């Protein structure tokens, strides 16, 4: 096939997937379903105008690798630290029981032995992208049920990587071959995983601290890190995509992971589009898709109901409340899109035929489509069923306490304006979260150890959600960019107090019109300060000198912090301030245009 034809296939997939994706968004369906339908429409099932080869296959492989890299990036162990023992018990029990249920269902429906094994392994995973996306949109990802689901998904994803590596092995013969291959995979994965964790502790923090201020280099180095692990995995005879997952896992433990996750998601979404379209392309005609249509419907119903009760029993057994057990269970009832990935790899191994992949595809489409609405209305469903489920309430049932930000204060940027306000905000609101994307500011906050922080550009969705902007009672923004502050005012709670900064009178007026509580005008404040000092100088010379002395002390304290931050030696100064005009200029000037842009966007601010 010519290169032009291969490029045309790729273009057709992108265009059709975009159109179907827009329709899916209008109907509230996940775009993954739209992508699979794209492959079904363009492949042998319907029009048969695109084949899975050449450029399409290459892009699909990249999509798979980026998907697992992003999956690793989402796995922050700190997010589930408080409930890790309980979540581990739930995840292990869920994996065993749901695999057994899927095995029993497939056996009852009359599939062959090998097909039953593949189906039971493929249908145990939760739909991580869908669950995380919907819960994040509903601001429930940091709730207790959300934390439980994320923890279970983390354990599932580790299990998934092992299964994917097993099916991607060169050859799977009898039970002895499977056992030996699995042993080698686990050993090699353990070595790479240990290197990944070692890197997250001793290599990556220093590396990313040096480059994180440069957004472009930051993204390129992160992608290069993923490809390094891909190469290591390939050298160890593992599926290269396992390396991508472990690379993401190592970066996920860093404070820079949220911004990187937000920046790499659009790239990943593009490649994922092609990848899931190729799943549909592998279904060998409409007859394969519908070969087991009634079995797929029966299995979907049984597995959704069975998965709910398995999860409910396991969560309830760990002592969580009925509402937590219900919500945590109903979010996890679907057959994941990863079942299609396992099925596609099983086809490559010759373990199943296209008809079984059609069966898995139909199940995934049905359960993901239905569960999208179930998760969206999970609280409404619980309210209707609460009287019946209350019979499972136990006096010993008690929800775990989890740390999350609520009714807190947020400071966007760490500069003189916000720094001086932080102690008062802490006294009033308790929790104070600082959003900033300058590594030297983050280092200073780490050394001080007093305030929580989120590294990243405020404009990034994941950064705002990590700080729980919608749940904040007070927000102080040092960004002078009007669009950023307008977006802030549009997203915060209506009852929140919001202080923002502006450079121009017109911007201040517009921000007040959008319900800003107070707009900081630096030039206006400076003019008032000068007027007060002139008045003091004329009327009370002693008070004037005291005020100047306080300012000099504040400047000297600031200079000492700057020098401690950069490890410089302090030089004596008769006036308490370094007299070198070059140094003084360095404190006030920021010649880097990227740094100036960051400050204006709420990510980087003047000292």
């Amino acid at each position: 096939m010519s290169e032009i034809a291969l490029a045309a296939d790729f273009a057709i997939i992108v265009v059709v997937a975009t159109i179907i994706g827009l329709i899916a968004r209008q109907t509230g369906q996940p775009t993954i379903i739209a992508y699979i339908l794209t492959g079904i429409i363009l492949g042998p099932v319907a029009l048969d105008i695109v084949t899975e080869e050449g450029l399409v296959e290459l892009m699909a492989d990249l999509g798979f690798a980026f998907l697992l890299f992003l999956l690793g990036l989402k796995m922050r162990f700190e997010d589930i630290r408080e409930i890790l023992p309980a979540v581990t018990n739930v995840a292990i029990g869920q994996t065993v029981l749901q695999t057994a249920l899927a095995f029993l269902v497939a056996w009852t429906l009359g599939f062959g032995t090998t097909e039953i094994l593949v189906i039971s392994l493929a249908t145990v995973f939760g739909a991580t992208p869908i669950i995380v996306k919907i819960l994040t949109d509903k601001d429930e990802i940091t709730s207790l049920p959300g934390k439980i689901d994320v923890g279970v998904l983390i354990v599932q994803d580790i299990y998934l990587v092992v299964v994917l590596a097993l099916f991607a092995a060169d050859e799977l013969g009898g039970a002895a071959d499977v056992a030996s291959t699995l042993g080698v995979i686990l050993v090699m994965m353990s070595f790479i995983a240990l290197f990944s964790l070692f890197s997250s502790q001793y290599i990556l923090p220093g590396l990313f601290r040096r480059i994180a201020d440069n957004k472009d280099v930051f993204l390129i180095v992160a992608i290069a890190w993923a490809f390094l692990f891909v190469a290591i995995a390939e050298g160890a005879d593992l599926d290269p995509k396992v390396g991508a997952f472990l690379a993401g896992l190592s970066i996920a433990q860093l404070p820079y992971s949220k911004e990187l996750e937000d920046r790499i998601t659009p790239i990943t979404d593009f490649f994922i589009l092609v990848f899931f379209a190729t799943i549909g392309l592998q279904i060998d005609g409409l007859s394969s898709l519908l070969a087991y249509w009634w079995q797929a419907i029966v299995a979907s119903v049984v597995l959704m109901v069975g998965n709910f009760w398995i999860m409910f029993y396991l969560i309830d057994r760990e002592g969580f409340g009925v509402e937590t057990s219900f919500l945590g269970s109903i979010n996890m009832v679907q057959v994941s899109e990863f079942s299609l990935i396992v099925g596609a790899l099983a086809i490559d191994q010759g373990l199943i035929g296209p008809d079984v992949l059609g069966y898995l595809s139909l199940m995934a489409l049905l359960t993901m489509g239905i569960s999208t609405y179930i998760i969206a209305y999970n609280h409404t469903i619980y309210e209707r069923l609460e009287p019946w489920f209350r019979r499972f309430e136990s006096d010993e049932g008690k929800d775990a306490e989890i740390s999350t930000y609520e009714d807190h204060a947020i400071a966007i940027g760490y500069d003189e304006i916000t720094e001086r306000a932080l102690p008062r905000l802490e006294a009033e609101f308790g929790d104070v979260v600082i959003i900033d994307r300058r590594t030297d500011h983050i280092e200073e906050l780490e050394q001080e150890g007093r305030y929580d922080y989120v590294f990243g550009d405020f404009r990034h969705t994941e950064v705002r959600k990590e700080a729980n902007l919608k749940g904040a009672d007070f927000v102080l923004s040092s960004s002078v960019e009007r669009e950023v502050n307008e977006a802030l005012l549009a997203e915060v709670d209506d009852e929140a107090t919001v202080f923002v900064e502006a450079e121009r009178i017109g911007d201040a007026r517009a921000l007040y019109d959008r319900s800003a509580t107070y707009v900081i005008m630096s030039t206006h404040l400076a003019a008032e300060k000068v007027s007060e000092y002139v008045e003091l100088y004329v009327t009370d010379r002693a008070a004037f000198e005291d005020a100047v002395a306080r300012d000099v002390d504040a400047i000297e304290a600031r200079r000492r912090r700057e020098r401690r931050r950069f490890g410089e030696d302090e030089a004596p100064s008769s006036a308490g301030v370094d007299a070198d005009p070059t140094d003084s200029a360095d404190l006030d000037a920021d010649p880097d245009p990227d740094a100036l842009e960051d400050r204006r966007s709420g990510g980087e601010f003047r000292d």
Side-chain angles (χ1 to χ4, degrees), residues 15 26 40 53 58 87 100 114 119 136 149 156 186 191 223 274 286 298 303 308 389 393 400-401 407 436 540 557:
V15 171
Q26 293 298 317
I40 292 174
E53 60 181 47
L58 174 61
V87 163
T114 304
I119 291 170
T136 301
D149 290 340
Q156 280 188 357
L186 291 175
F191 279 116
I223 294 175
V274 184
L286 185 61
V298 171
L303 289 178
F308 170 81
F389 272 89
E393 189 76 82
E401 293 293 330
D407 302 328
D436 197 287
D540 191 342

Side-chain angles (χ1 to χ4, degrees), residues 159-175:
Y159 173 52
L160 167 68
V161 170
V162 175
V163 172
L164 293 178
L166 181 64
F167 279 108
D170 292 335
E171 185 176 344
L172 292 175

Side-chain angles (χ1 to χ4, degrees), residues 579-595:
D580 185 346
T582 305
D583 285 350
S584 299
D586 285 344
L587 284 177
D588 298 324
D590 194 348
D592 183 357
D594 289 337

Side-chain angles (χ1 to χ4, degrees), residues 341-363:
I341 299 174
V342 174
L345 291 174
I347 281 187
D348 292 339
Q349 288 281 0
L351 300 175
I352 62 174
D355 290 357
V356 177
L357 180 61
Y359 165 80
L360 291 172
S361 300
L362 205 52
M363 262 205 305

Side-chain angles (χ1 to χ4, degrees), residues 271-471:
F271 287 117
I272 285 177
L273 179 156
V274 184
F275 171 70
F276 281 107
T278 61
I279 298 290
L281 293 175
Q282 292 183 52
I283 301 174
D284 190 18
L286 185 61
S287 59
S288 293
L289 180 63
L290 301 179
Y292 297 108
W293 67 269
W294 70 265
Q295 290 93 334
I297 294 174
V298 171
S300 297
V301 174
V302 173
L303 289 178
M304 290 182 74
V305 174
N307 290 348
F308 170 81
W309 283 109
I310 288 172
M311 283 291 293
F312 185 88
Y313 163 72
L314 292 171
I315 298 174
D316 182 70
R317 190 183 63 171
E318 293 299 322
F320 294 103
V322 168
E323 183 176 2
T324 297
S325 300
F326 181 91
L327 295 175
S329 304
I330 203 168
N331 295 337
M332 300 277 287
V333 297
Q334 66 287 113
V335 173
S336 168
E337 72 281 1
F338 290 115
S339 65
L340 307 182
I341 299 174
V342 174
L345 291 174
I347 281 187
D348 292 339
Q349 288 281 0
L351 300 175
I352 62 174
D355 290 357
V356 177
L357 180 61
Y359 165 80
L360 291 172
S361 300
L362 205 52
M363 262 205 305
L365 291 171
L366 289 171
T367 59
M368 285 194 295
I370 295 171
S371 68
T372 298
Y373 295 102
I374 290 177
I375 299 174
Y377 297 101
N378 53 6
H379 286 280
T380 303
I381 296 172
Y382 176 72
E383 290 172 3
R384 296 287 182 88
L385 300 177
E386 180 181 8
W388 191 85
F389 272 89
R390 278 299 171 191
R391 68 182 65 186
F392 297 101
E393 189 76 82
S394 169
D395 293 336
E396 299 177 358
K398 182 180 179 182
D399 284 346
E401 293 293 330
I402 59 173
S403 59
T404 185
Y405 301 125
E406 195 69 37
D407 302 328
H408 56 301
I410 294 177
I412 303 172
Y414 187 59
D415 65 356
E416 289 184 0
I417 292 177
T418 56
E419 183 180 3
R420 295 189 181 188
L422 292 178
R424 187 68 186 90
L425 293 177
E426 182 183 33
E428 180 69 22
F429 298 98
D431 290 332
V432 178
V433 184
I434 301 166
I435 300 175
D436 197 287
R437 86 162 316 278
R438 275 186 53 168
T439 53
D440 55 338
H441 290 173
I442 296 301
E443 287 178 16
E444 186 175 341
L445 290 168
E446 284 181 340
Q447 292 172 5
E448 188 172 354
R450 183 172 178 179
Y451 306 109
D452 292 342
Y453 61 85
V454 177
F455 175 88
D457 191 325
F458 175 78
R459 290 174 295 187
H460 290 166
T461 304
E462 293 297 331
V463 171
R464 298 197 301 273
K465 288 180 177 176
E466 177 73 5
N468 191 17
L469 178 63
K470 293 182 179 180

Side-chain angles (χ1 to χ4, degrees), residues 405-413 417-418 421-422 425-426 428-429 431-435 458 463-464 467-479 484-501 511 515-520 602 605:
Y405 301 125
E406 195 69 37
D407 302 328
H408 56 301
I410 294 177
I412 303 172
I417 292 177
T418 56
L422 292 178
L425 293 177
E426 182 183 33
E428 180 69 22
F429 298 98
D431 290 332
V432 178
V433 184
I434 301 166
I435 300 175
F458 175 78
V463 171
R464 298 197 301 273
N468 191 17
L469 178 63
K470 293 182 179 180
D473 269 356
F474 188 100
V475 182
L476 171 60
S477 170
S478 288
S479 172
V484 170
N485 288 324
E486 286 178 346
L488 158 64
L489 291 166
E491 187 167 335
V492 295
D493 186 86
D494 292 338
E495 302 299 320
T497 302
V498 182
F499 282 25
V500 294
E501 189 175 356
L511 294 172
S515 302
T517 308
Y518 177 64
V519 180
I520 305 164
F605 305 87

Side-chain angles (χ1 to χ4, degrees), residues 133-176:
K133 177 70 167 63
I134 298 176
L135 291 181
T136 301
D137 290 344
K138 295 183 65 183
D139 292 325
E140 293 182 16
I141 197 69
T142 56
S143 66
L144 184 54
K147 294 263 189 180
I148 293 172
D149 290 340
V150 169
V152 172
L153 290 171
I154 286 176
V155 177
Q156 280 188 357
D157 292 340
I158 295 173
Y159 173 52
L160 167 68
V161 170
V162 175
V163 172
L164 293 178
L166 181 64
F167 279 108
D170 292 335
E171 185 176 344
L172 292 175

